[in-house]
Amino acid sequence: MNTKKTKILHLDSNHPLLWEQLEALGFENHQDYTSSKEEIETKIQDYQGIVIRSRFNIDKTFLDKASNLQFIARVGAGLESIDCDYAISKNIHLIAAPEGNRNAVGEHTLGMLLSLMNKLNQANQSVKSGNWIREGHRGNELEGKTVGIIGYGNMGKSFAKKLSGFDVEVLCYDILPNVGNQYAKQVSLEELQLKSDVLSLHTPWTPETDKMVNEQFINAFVKPFWLINTARGKSVVTEDLVKALQNGKILGAGLDVLEYEKLSFEKLFEGEKPEAFTYLLEAENVLLSPHIAGWTFESHQKLAQVIVDKIKEFLK
């Protein structure tokens, strides 16, 4: 590929190094952060590359209009907003950057778990409200617990590595064989549900993981457990999660992602709040963050660098 003739359309803003390094490599950069998908479709045939985060779905209609497209680079971990099979059938190279924010996700997951188990959020609010209640904020130690990780790719491995100094048993379950390493023992889903005190999700959003954590799945766990989800919100049925929080099957939940998020991850639902969501907002043993686990200052830069490096590798 001759970079001098390669035009890249940037559909979302990213760290400046991405634009600068691609320009230095000889690419012609263009940006359009505001036009509708339909408006982009009228000019997409002029571009050989796209850089996007999660602004809109790249579907068959879009790909059919992108007649000269050679690659799509998503500045993030997952590719669920792209019709990957159709893109591949049109010989379009797909690039993602899970390496760029895996450390951020691992740290955020650990932070959520420790905050939840030690009631740090509740204690903070209590003291700021003028109270000094020690017994009511007695926490639980992570040491001696068994942590189950579902999805043992970049994010799952990063979290497991962070756990290595906590004297815990770490189990992982994944649809791929032989992904376990020195930080986690790969087991069947049944064994993970038998032994886990903590469940952390690190799966992409696929037909297999959609609504995966439902009432039946939760009740298959032998022990009450803490749930952390920094993966995808639609993998958890919120109503079933609330039911489990109410009956004590789930001891507490740390949720960076929610079932109600829009595809862009930039906002929640419009209109009236679902009853289950209202419960999450009010529950003391629920910790929420707005899809920021992989959203650090450092990962902002790392994600951009990974994309540049992978585009360079693709050119080779």
Side-chain angles (χ1 to χ4, degrees):
M1 190 191 299
N2 182 354
T3 59
K4 301 288 184 196
K5 296 178 181 175
T6 302
K7 290 163 70 174
I8 299 177
L9 182 60
H10 297 250
L11 294 169
D12 293 286
S13 62
N14 287 292
H15 193 281
L17 79 78
L18 200 157
W19 183 285
E20 291 162 6
Q21 291 191 22
L22 289 174
E23 195 168 58
L25 287 167
F27 290 100
E28 186 179 325
N29 287 314
H30 294 236
Q31 69 177 50
D32 188 336
Y33 304 155
T34 56
S35 295
S36 68
K37 175 175 174 284
E38 290 70 29
E39 288 169 329
I40 299 289
E41 286 172 354
T42 64
K43 61 181 179 182
I44 195 60
Q45 73 278 357
D46 296 334
Y47 294 92
Q48 287 74 44
I50 294 173
V51 175
I52 190 169
R53 286 204 318 267
S54 302
R55 198 165 125 210
F56 52 69
N57 255 333
I58 295 184
D59 54 17
K60 287 184 180 180
T61 304
F62 187 96
L63 292 167
D64 282 337
K65 303 218 183 246
S67 50
N68 292 301
L69 204 59
Q70 295 175 17
F71 67 86
I72 300 169
R74 177 164 184 263
V75 188
L79 293 168
E80 70 265 26
S81 60
I82 301 168
D83 188 331
C84 296
D85 291 339
Y86 195 62
I88 291 166
S89 77
K90 295 179 81 69
N91 206 30
I92 296 169
H93 184 65
L94 301 175
I95 296 170
E99 303 90 345
N101 61 358
R102 62 188 173 194
N103 183 72
V105 171
E107 289 190 9
H108 191 98
T109 306
L110 181 58
M112 279 195 128
L113 179 58
L114 293 174
S115 295
L116 202 59
M117 293 181 72
N118 290 284
K119 301 183 181 177
L120 295 185
N121 206 43
Q122 294 164 245
N124 172 61
Q125 291 301 323
S126 177
V127 174
K128 286 184 174 181
S129 299
N131 301 308
W132 192 260
I133 302 165
R134 297 183 68 216
E135 185 58 37
H137 294 112
R138 195 185 285 272
N140 292 272
E141 294 180 28
L142 190 50
E143 184 181 51
K145 304 289 192 294
T146 298
V147 179
I149 296 173
I150 296 183
Y152 204 61
N154 281 282
M155 311 303 167
K157 285 184 168 73
S158 174
F159 178 47
K161 185 178 179 182
K162 310 288 179 233
L163 290 169
S164 60
F166 281 87
D167 294 320
V168 293
E169 180 182 22
V170 184
L171 307 176
C172 66
Y173 170 74
D174 197 282
I175 57 172
L176 297 175
N178 306 316
V179 295
N181 59 8
Q182 70 267 40
Y183 301 116
K185 176 188 174 188
Q186 188 166 3
V187 297
S188 66
L189 181 58
E190 291 73 22
E191 184 174 347
L192 185 141
Q193 290 173 316
L194 173 68
K195 295 180 176 178
S196 294
D197 301 289
V198 175
L199 170 63
S200 187
L201 301 179
H202 296 281
T203 45
W205 185 44
T206 67
E208 291 73 33
T209 63
D210 186 54
K211 298 181 175 58
M212 174 180 73
V213 181
N214 57 21
E215 186 172 14
Q216 182 182 1
F217 179 94
I218 292 166
N219 288 334
F221 280 77
V222 172
K223 296 187 274 187
F225 64 96
W226 281 271
L227 171 68
I228 309 290
N229 186 10
T230 54
R232 289 293 183 261
K234 293 188 190 319
S235 294
V236 176
V237 179
T238 311
E239 287 185 3
D240 293 354
L241 165 61
V242 166
K243 196 181 297 183
L245 286 163
Q246 289 171 330
N247 66 30
K249 186 67 182 187
I250 291 181
L251 300 167
L255 308 173
D256 180 55
V257 290
L258 290 167
E259 182 180 2
Y260 313 110
E261 283 179 86
K262 298 292 186 185
L263 178 74
S264 67
F265 307 139
E266 295 299 326
K267 59 183 177 180
L268 289 172
F269 48 82
E270 286 147 2
E272 194 177 339
K273 287 189 184 80
E275 193 177 327
F277 181 57
T278 301
Y279 180 89
L280 296 181
L281 292 177
E282 296 171 355
E284 287 194 330
N285 59 341
V286 174
L287 189 60
L288 302 173
S289 58
H291 204 133
I292 54 165
W295 201 251
T296 61
F297 290 104
E298 291 84 357
S299 72
H300 187 45
Q301 183 169 340
K302 289 178 192 173
L303 284 164
Q305 190 62 61
V306 169
I307 291 295
V308 172
D309 293 344
K310 287 190 175 182
I311 291 173
K312 280 162 68 175
E313 187 64 28
F314 172 57
L315 293 183
K316 288 182 184 176

